């Protein structure tokens, strides 16, 4: 992987009042390894050096709709390294081919191992077993979050991002917000919007970032991966108004909360807020399939 030469656009999202809201379109960094996934994987893969290994292998973990599984499968294909996905939910073994994310990963030649939810939760044991079985593999944690990922996130920041008072990102496993907190310029406030109700996130982010100069705010909207009608409406309205499509699990939920915060005066008058669009649009297809089954409104995707 190379640092792309494209300049990632920072676009203003016009909102009423004196707060200035901007979005950095990190989702445009790569067509398949989108948004923060690109940067979280960047140093993981460059430190691995597959050319010096007899049996290189990428192993990672994720749920059925995981953006990270999709990204690692694409990375494996592009880097010419076999990939193994440890997938939560043994029931998927017989119906993974109905799931667009896993279908895509399969097309990238990722192999799967389906595990029960209890096995998946005990990742320490799982990782030890995998290390024993595949001693040359690069085992990337769930969501890609580790110290190498945090290092990679510094590339989401540049001279231009220094002029904003607030840096905002959605939070799943915490690596992205940890990287922003670690590498933000002096005086910038970093806010993470939690899409997972995980009490241990604060401590985890603090330990990865080596600082507590961040705050985490709830953006779960009924639970991780749960998609409320409010969020679907918000995403569809946002796309219609600003021409930017967001995923319903991360960036969509973060932006919905940022809009509420702006309305309620959370940000001081005249302050500037930069929200990162962290990608994950591949998940929309799977989300829409579920919504269709439930006979609910879908996320509108305008194909260009
Ligand atoms: C689209 C998207 N945004 C945000 C996040 C949250 O990032 P992190 O897991 O580093 O907190 C993820 C998960 O990787 C994601 O897929």
């Amino acid at each position: 992987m190379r640092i792309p030469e494209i300049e990632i656009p920072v676009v203003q999202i016009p909102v009423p009042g004196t707060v200035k809201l901007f979005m950095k379109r990190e989702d445009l960094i790569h067509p398949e390894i989108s948004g923060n996934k690109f940067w979280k994987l960047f140093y993981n893969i460059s430190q691995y050096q597959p050319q010096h290994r007899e049996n290189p292998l990428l192993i990672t973990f994720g749920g059925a709709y995981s953006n990270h599984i999709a990204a690692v499968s694409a990375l494996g294909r592009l880097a010419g390294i076999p990939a193994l996905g440890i997938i939560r939910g043994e029931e998927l073994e017989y119906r993974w081919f109905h799931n667009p994310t896993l279908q895509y990963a399969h097309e990238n030649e990722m192999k799967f191992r389906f595990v029960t939810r209890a096995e998946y939760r005990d990742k320490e044991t799982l990782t030890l077993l995998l290390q024993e079985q595949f001693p040359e593999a690069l085992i990337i944690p769930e969501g890609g979050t580790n110290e190498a990922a945090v290092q990679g996130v510094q590339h989401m920041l540049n001279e231009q991002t220094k002029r904003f008072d607030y840096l905002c990102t959605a939070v799943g496993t915490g690596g992205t917000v940890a990287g922003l907190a670690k590498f933000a310029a002096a005086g910038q406030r970093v806010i993470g919007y939690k899409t997972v109700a995980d009490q241990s996130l604060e401590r985890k982010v603090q330990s990865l970032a080596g600082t507590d100069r961040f705050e985490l705010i709830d953006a779960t909207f009924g639970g991780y991966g749960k998609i409320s009608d409010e969020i679907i409406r918000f995403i569809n309205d946002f796309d219609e108004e600003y021409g930017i499509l967001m995923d319903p699990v991360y960036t969509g939920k973060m932006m919905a909360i940022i809009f509420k915060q702006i309305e309620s005066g959370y940000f001081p008058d005249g302050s500037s807020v930069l929200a990162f669009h962290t990608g994950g649009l591949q998940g929309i297809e799977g989300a829409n399939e579920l919504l269709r089954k439930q006979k609910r409104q879908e996320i509108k995707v305008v194909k260009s």
Side-chain angles (χ1 to χ4, degrees):
M1 263 162 121
R2 296 224 178 103
I3 294 186
E5 279 168 23
I6 54 165
E7 184 149 340
I8 299 298
V10 172
V11 292
Q12 184 161 10
I13 309 294
V15 285
T18 63
V19 172
K20 293 199 166 35
L21 175 62
F22 294 81
M23 184 182 250
K24 185 160 188 265
R25 297 290 309 276
E26 216 59 52
D27 57 310
L28 302 176
I29 188 86
H30 191 280
E32 292 185 275
I33 310 171
S34 87
N36 58 342
K37 264 68 59 194
F38 185 92
W39 295 118
K40 288 199 287 182
L41 291 168
F42 187 79
Y43 288 112
N44 274 292
I45 195 70
S46 52
Q47 288 162 9
Y48 180 52
Q49 301 197 320
Q51 68 275 21
H52 299 314
R53 295 167 203 269
E54 237 171 81
N55 296 301
L57 178 66
L58 303 178
I59 304 181
T60 199
F61 309 84
Y65 298 96
S66 164
N67 296 320
H68 174 66
I69 286 288
V72 171
S73 74
L75 176 62
R77 189 193 84 234
L78 294 167
I81 310 172
L84 172 66
I86 310 298
I87 311 294
R88 181 180 52 222
E90 77 280 28
E91 74 282 359
L92 288 162
E93 182 149 15
Y94 304 103
R95 49 182 164 92
W96 64 263
F97 32 86
H98 294 304
N99 174 297
T101 300
L102 297 180
Q103 231 172 49
Y104 168 76
H106 172 73
E107 280 159 23
N108 284 330
E109 298 194 8
M110 181 180 248
K111 300 277 178 289
F112 302 130
R113 188 177 288 184
F114 298 94
V115 298
T116 64
R117 281 163 178 74
E119 284 170 323
Y120 190 88
R121 262 194 304 277
D122 187 6
K123 275 188 217 68
E124 265 177 42
T125 307
L126 208 51
T127 303
L128 283 175
L129 292 171
L130 290 162
Q131 269 164 351
E132 251 173 54
Q133 194 180 350
F134 305 105
E136 287 200 300
L138 171 64
I139 304 182
I140 307 169
E142 183 180 43
T145 285
N146 56 15
E147 281 180 16
V150 172
Q151 287 302 319
V153 171
Q154 67 182 290
H155 298 289
M156 288 167 57
L157 299 171
N158 56 26
E159 275 308 307
Q160 196 184 12
T161 64
K162 283 189 186 154
R163 67 186 167 91
F164 296 96
D165 300 312
Y166 291 86
L167 302 175
C168 304
T169 186
V171 177
T173 54
T176 310
V177 70
L180 294 184
K182 183 166 182 165
F183 296 106
Q188 287 188 304
R189 306 266 306 264
V190 174
I191 308 181
Y193 295 78
K194 286 202 286 186
T195 62
V196 189
D198 176 354
Q199 302 298 331
S200 68
L201 265 171
E202 267 84 356
R203 227 172 330 112
K204 182 178 176 188
V205 174
Q206 198 173 333
S207 133
L208 281 164
T211 171
D212 58 5
R213 49 175 301 208
F214 64 89
E215 60 190 302
L216 299 185
I217 286 177
D218 180 76
T220 44
F221 285 92
Y224 178 69
K226 297 251 164 36
I227 305 170
S228 65
D229 291 339
E230 177 189 356
I231 286 297
I232 298 166
R233 262 197 313 276
F234 180 79
I235 288 172
N236 287 338
D237 291 350
F238 192 93
D239 193 16
E240 209 166 297
E241 180 88 19
Y242 307 110
I244 300 173
L245 184 61
M246 300 179 293
D247 80 297
V249 179
Y250 297 101
T251 307
K253 287 186 174 177
M254 168 186 71
M255 284 309 281
I257 296 286
I258 291 178
F259 268 47
K260 284 181 205 244
Q261 287 176 313
I262 290 174
E263 227 174 86
S264 70
Y266 177 91
F267 299 109
D269 273 348
S271 53
S272 56
V273 178
L274 180 64
F276 289 87
H277 188 321
T278 43
L281 299 180
Q282 69 82 31
I284 292 178
E285 199 183 334
N288 273 345
E289 277 186 10
L290 289 178
L291 293 167
R292 218 170 295 136
K293 274 189 202 142
Q294 295 165 355
K295 299 200 170 15
R296 291 170 56 203
Q297 186 188 2
E298 292 176 36
I299 298 163
K300 282 187 224 138
V301 181
V302 183
K303 293 223 164 69
S304 53

